[in-house]
Amino acid sequence: MNAVPPPTTRADRTFLASPHRIGITIDCPDAALAAAFWERFLGYQRRPHAEGSTYVTVDCPEHVAGPPHLTFQQVPEPKTGKARAHLDLFVDHARPLTQQMLAAGAQQVSVTDAGEWTTRVLTDPAGNEFCVIGPD
């Protein structure tokens, strides 16, 4: 595998385009359902979208700095394996949030206790893995 070399001088960096924002797109069988789940638990707001679009995007409220927006893309094929990328949600109290997410359709995959904090691996209603990390 060939690696892309980093710019070697400050002048090299001047000409590189860099993103002004990063978004994450997640494939799922029902984009509206997945967006509603994450909208609820991230405090994000749904962006307007064209009628019949296969995309639904949720974003942090206007004028609030936050993590990347999430776009859910409706696809016909089912999820067949473990995702290579996933969301990590770092929280002050993991158990209450996890219980709310399970009641809203998430599934628990595993729990790893690491002393002061716990990592809970869950799947959202579309089957996408994510972690809730923090003390109980």
Side-chain angles (χ1 to χ4, degrees):
M1 176 152 98
N2 295 331
V4 176
T8 55
T9 68
R10 185 177 176 109
D12 291 340
R13 292 187 217 325
T14 305
F15 298 104
L16 296 177
S18 61
H20 66 282
R21 183 140 195 202
I22 296 172
I24 298 169
T25 300
I26 300 171
D27 291 347
C28 56
D30 186 335
L33 178 65
F37 179 86
W38 287 107
E39 186 177 23
R40 174 181 175 185
F41 290 106
L42 294 179
Y44 277 25
Q45 299 171 339
R46 192 175 300 211
R47 287 185 186 171
H49 62 280
E51 186 67 33
S53 174
T54 59
Y55 298 94
V56 178
T57 298
V58 296
D59 204 350
C60 57
E62 206 172 312
H63 307 296
V64 174
H69 68 263
L70 299 175
T71 298
F72 300 92
Q73 178 180 354
Q74 192 158 320
V75 297
E77 65 276 359
K79 182 177 172 304
T80 59
K82 184 177 182 326
R84 296 189 65 167
H86 65 270
L87 301 177
D88 284 341
L89 307 178
F90 294 90
V91 298
D92 293 329
H93 304 286
R95 188 176 308 231
L97 178 60
T98 301
Q99 289 172 342
Q100 291 173 9
M101 291 177 145
L102 293 171
Q107 299 290 316
Q108 187 160 295
V109 175
S110 66
V111 177
T112 303
D113 186 5
E116 293 183 23
W117 52 271
T118 301
T119 298
R120 288 176 169 80
V121 179
L122 294 99
T123 58
D124 68 12
N128 298 301
E129 293 92 0
F130 65 96
C131 296
V132 177
I133 303 169
D136 280 344

